[in-house]
Amino acid sequence: MGFNLLKGKRGIIFGALDENSIAWKTALKVRDEGGIFTLSNAPIALRLGKINELASQCKAEVIPADATSEADLATLFTKSIETLGGKIDFVLHSIGQSPNIRKGRSYGDMNYEWYLKTIDISALSFHKVMQTAEKLDAMNEWGSIVALSYIAAQRNYPDYTDMAQAKAMLESIARSYGARFAKLKKVRVNTISQSPTRTTAGAGIAGFDVFFDFAQMMSPLGNASSEACANYIVVMFSDFTRMVTMQNLMHDGGFSSSGITQELIDRLTNR
Ligand SMILES: NC(=O)c1ccc[n+]([C@@H]2O[C@H](COP(=O)([O-])OP(=O)(O)OC[C@H]3O[C@@H](n4cnc5c(N)ncnc54)[C@H](O)[C@@H]3O)[C@@H](O)[C@H]2O)c1
């Protein structure tokens, strides 16, 4: 049972692969709040994942798009406007991938072709999504665009390798495009920096369980779940956050403001 926070709003949700995906949980919450949307993912993910299950639960159309392809993105926006019956009010960019991480390369042994792919898929695609939307005049006034980030944009996490640079760039793009879209159409652009979350992308990072547990101990509220993240995204799509833009919003149970916690002190001193 929702509150109709998104009644009458139309959107595009990128990145639902399976039921653990943050985008999957978000799609269900957006549906519950009365929003309508199309679902998109890379063609290969449509074959491997379960997006059609989600599509039938949400009565949403699936439109394939490789988020690095301007042509695919133009088709996606055009078809979404047709299918949904009007311009777009919200976009979720929930996309990340690093071939270097997937293939276990250390930071001193990067394959640079893959490095560029990481940047293209995980950061530049966010610019491409917004530039496509601008060129097609696809957004409604007071629309909201959100991408998902991670605190490795600001701090070092050894196994996050080239994704750290991708996230730093993603957050920078949100500031630059946020300024531009505000003037053009009063559209706001933000990133949400989410706690470690057990998903296909999350669990692909070496040592994930260790930093999940560490973040849990270092966050006074504990790690934020993917459901909680979906709720926050709904709020960011709603009319209650119209003046929030160009921000990197920490959604991490207090992790980013903690120096050390009593829980960690107790653990380290075996009390
Ligand atoms: N899981 C975590 O711990 C965590 C923490 C902070 C931020 N994030 C971010 O959240 C976002 C969503 O990840 P998730 O954790 O839900 O994992 P996920 O693996 O479920 O989602 C990642 C999605 O990116 C899609 N994708 C990859 N390449 C693509 C391309 N070329 N075009 C279009 N889509 C493509 C995948 O198909 C997949 O659906 C990512 O940006 C991730 O970096 C995740």
Side-chain angles (χ1 to χ4, degrees), residues 12-42:
I12 299 175
I13 296 181
F14 288 92
L17 182 67
D18 58 32
E19 60 278 2
N20 298 317
S21 300
I22 298 166
W24 185 290
K25 310 274 189 211
T26 305
L28 295 174
K29 297 272 183 193
V30 169
R31 175 203 63 184
D32 291 349
E33 292 299 334
I36 58 169
F37 49 86
T38 54
L39 293 165
S40 187
N41 210 327

Side-chain angles (χ1 to χ4, degrees), residues 147-151 153 160 167-168 170-171 191-195 248:
L148 288 168
S149 194
Y150 183 55
I151 197 169
Y160 210 66
K167 290 304 190 193
L170 184 83
E171 293 175 12
T191 50
I192 293 179
S193 185
Q194 163 68 6
S195 292
N248 179 47

Side-chain angles (χ1 to χ4, degrees), residues 36-94:
I36 58 169
F37 49 86
T38 54
L39 293 165
S40 187
N41 210 327
I44 181 147
L46 298 185
R47 286 199 295 280
L48 301 176
K50 306 170 159 180
I51 201 168
N52 288 325
E53 248 176 60
L54 177 66
S56 69
Q57 285 180 52
C58 298
K59 298 189 176 52
E61 193 168 317
V62 178
I63 304 174
D66 177 339
T68 64
S69 157
E70 289 167 76
D72 282 10
L73 291 172
T75 306
L76 168 64
F77 271 97
T78 307
K79 281 196 181 163
S80 295
I81 289 171
E82 264 168 39
T83 307
L84 301 170
K87 289 188 188 180
I88 303 302
D89 299 293
F90 60 87
V91 176
L92 175 65
H93 177 288
S94 186

Side-chain angles (χ1 to χ4, degrees), residues 25-270:
K25 310 274 189 211
T26 305
L28 295 174
K29 297 272 183 193
V30 169
R31 175 203 63 184
D32 291 349
E33 292 299 334
I36 58 169
F37 49 86
T38 54
L39 293 165
S40 187
N41 210 327
I44 181 147
L46 298 185
R47 286 199 295 280
L48 301 176
K50 306 170 159 180
I51 201 168
N52 288 325
E53 248 176 60
L54 177 66
S56 69
Q57 285 180 52
C58 298
K59 298 189 176 52
E61 193 168 317
V62 178
I63 304 174
D66 177 339
T68 64
S69 157
E70 289 167 76
D72 282 10
L73 291 172
T75 306
L76 168 64
F77 271 97
T78 307
K79 281 196 181 163
S80 295
I81 289 171
E82 264 168 39
T83 307
L84 301 170
K87 289 188 188 180
I88 303 302
D89 299 293
F90 60 87
V91 176
L92 175 65
H93 177 288
S94 186
I95 298 171
Q97 206 208 301
S98 160
N100 276 309
I101 291 181
R102 216 179 40 197
K103 295 187 178 146
R105 292 292 190 106
S106 78
Y107 200 56
D109 186 30
M110 292 278 101
N111 173 312
Y112 290 116
E113 242 171 70
W114 297 343
Y115 204 135
L116 289 172
K117 238 179 168 335
T118 300
I119 300 294
D120 196 15
I121 295 172
S122 311
L124 205 55
S125 64
F126 192 37
H127 191 284
K128 291 178 180 175
V129 164
M130 291 189 279
Q131 186 167 288
T132 304
E134 178 185 333
K135 288 195 168 163
L136 294 173
D137 190 21
M139 295 299 293
N140 273 324
E141 279 210 343
W142 296 111
S144 175
I145 301 177
V146 169
L148 288 168
S149 194
Y150 183 55
I151 197 169
Q154 288 82 28
R155 297 191 195 165
N156 183 50
Y157 290 81
D159 292 317
Y160 210 66
T161 67
D162 54 359
M163 275 298 279
Q165 280 73 68
K167 290 304 190 193
M169 185 172 170
L170 184 83
E171 293 175 12
S172 175
I173 289 170
R175 286 185 290 273
S176 300
Y177 228 115
R180 184 176 173 82
F181 244 146
K183 287 292 172 202
L184 285 172
K185 288 234 89 159
K186 299 185 169 62
V187 167
R188 59 203 187 277
V189 183
N190 295 286
T191 50
I192 293 179
S193 185
Q194 163 68 6
S195 292
T197 314
R198 287 186 208 284
T199 61
T200 304
I205 315 285
F208 177 83
D209 286 341
V210 174
F211 70 73
F212 182 92
D213 292 345
F214 173 71
Q216 176 72 21
M217 280 189 283
M218 274 289 282
S219 309
L221 287 174
N223 286 328
S225 67
S226 47
E227 282 86 1
C229 189
N231 282 334
Y232 194 26
I233 294 166
V234 163
V235 171
M236 290 309 300
F237 288 164
S238 81
D239 289 331
F240 289 108
T241 54
R242 279 189 167 189
M243 298 307 284
V244 182
T245 195
M246 302 162 66
Q247 302 299 313
N248 179 47
L249 304 160
M250 307 310 298
H251 187 255
D252 63 359
F255 177 84
S256 49
S257 290
S258 294
I260 193 162
T261 55
Q262 194 59 48
E263 207 178 335
L264 196 57
I265 293 169
D266 291 348
R267 168 73 78 93
L268 292 173
T269 53
N270 288 322

